[in-house]
Amino acid sequence: MDDLNALAEEHLAAAREHPHGRSAHLVLHDQPLRQSLIALTVGTTLDEHLSPPAGSLLVLRGTVRLTAASGDVEVGPGFLHALPPDPHALTALTDAVVLLTAVNP
């Protein structure tokens, strides 16, 4: 069992030290489910990428902007947002930590 709060603090500290402003940890991988904790410093962007068939983003710390052709949305701490079906990008508006859940067949 992982302590998400402890992991969030650990990886946010690591992201602040990393030249690319990010740090990630695979929390759970049980086919077809995959959960990753991702820490991003303010202004760091995960460039546009494809969506899994099903997925969600839970913001644990900070605020992020999810950018997609279907529209942009800002997501703050404690909020869960479904990933759009189209390609999307993620930008940290503040130092942030998210839990990405993806389900791939």
Side-chain angles (χ1 to χ4, degrees):
M1 182 179 306
D2 288 304
D3 179 341
L4 293 180
N5 287 315
L7 284 172
E9 292 303 320
E10 174 187 340
H11 285 277
L12 194 50
R16 289 176 177 140
E17 297 297 320
H18 194 277
H20 295 284
R22 60 184 174 220
S23 179
H25 175 77
L26 182 61
V27 177
L28 176 68
H29 189 201
D30 184 10
Q31 290 294 342
L33 176 66
R34 184 179 178 110
Q35 290 186 304
S36 300
L37 182 134
I38 304 168
L40 305 167
T41 57
V42 63
T44 301
T45 297
L46 296 179
D47 293 332
E48 186 174 88
H49 52 279
L50 298 175
S51 264
S56 66
L57 191 70
L58 172 63
V59 178
L60 301 174
R61 304 263 195 294
T63 303
V64 297
R65 177 182 299 119
L66 188 61
T67 304
S70 56
D72 296 357
V73 64
E74 289 185 14
V75 187
F79 283 86
L80 178 67
H81 193 276
L83 292 178
D86 46 342
H88 59 276
L90 187 68
T91 302
L93 301 179
T94 65
D95 286 357
V97 181
V98 300
L99 183 66
L100 170 67
T101 300
V103 178
N104 291 296

